[in-house]
Amino acid sequence: MSADCIFCKIIKRELDADIVYEDEYAVAFKDINPAAPVHILIVPREHIPTIMDVEKSNEKLIGHLHLVANEVARAFKLGKKGYRLVINCGADAGQIVFHLHLHLLGGRPLLQTIAKGRGV
Ligand code: AMP
Ligand code: ZN
């Protein structure tokens, strides 16, 4: 846990969020500034700043986050139409919250681009 991390605060329930899923290892909540009709963030409970910081010991956790994403996608009825998972890493990707997270985006056709931001 990192004291000044907003996602750690959400995980510890010190900050409000619309939590849609949680288990022993992960929490998923709605993005406060959604870029698509469905925009959920899937985060590990463990504070890992970026995907570059994961280690061999985190291998199962990274797989688990993807299974959680699939489960959340199914719960939001995106299974048939599809969705996009995005991980931003560092400054050039525009990462603004340095607690590893997967963006789950769906609910409308997404641009055929890997660009980040409101244009996703
Ligand atoms: P990234 O650019 O990948 O670091 O994305 C961080 C995301 O976190 C952005 O899409 C923000 O809208 C979202 N966000 C920031 N603060 C909150 C919050 N308190 N609750 C939910 N989502 C948030
Ligand atoms: Zn954190």
Side-chain angles (χ1 to χ4, degrees):
M1 288 289 168
S2 171
D4 53 1
C5 168
I6 54 171
F7 288 178
C8 282
K9 285 185 178 150
I10 287 172
I11 292 162
K12 285 186 282 182
R13 298 291 216 275
E14 289 173 7
L15 200 66
D16 270 349
D18 195 344
I19 294 176
V20 298
Y21 174 94
E22 64 181 321
D23 65 25
E24 195 181 342
Y25 303 106
V27 177
F29 50 90
K30 292 188 182 173
D31 194 292
I32 202 165
N33 186 17
V38 178
H39 188 170
I40 310 287
L41 302 174
I42 296 117
V43 310
R45 285 191 187 275
E46 181 183 344
H47 180 84
I48 301 170
T50 81
I51 193 71
M52 279 293 283
D53 297 304
V54 299
E55 295 170 3
K56 188 77 182 160
S57 61
N58 302 127
E59 205 167 13
K60 269 180 88 171
L61 175 64
I62 299 307
H64 180 71
L65 295 177
H66 287 76
L67 291 179
V68 170
N70 284 357
E71 191 165 330
V72 172
R74 231 173 271 120
F76 280 82
K77 312 269 183 257
L78 299 179
K80 281 213 175 83
K81 289 218 162 188
Y83 54 92
R84 180 173 292 160
L85 296 177
V86 176
I87 298 177
N88 294 314
C89 182
D92 274 4
Q95 185 177 2
I96 53 172
V97 178
F98 284 80
H99 180 128
L100 177 63
H101 52 280
L102 273 67
H103 293 257
L104 165 59
L105 296 148
R108 66 165 167 82
L110 300 165
L111 297 179
Q112 300 302 303
T113 161
I114 55 169
K116 180 217 186 257
R118 300 305 101 186
V120 285

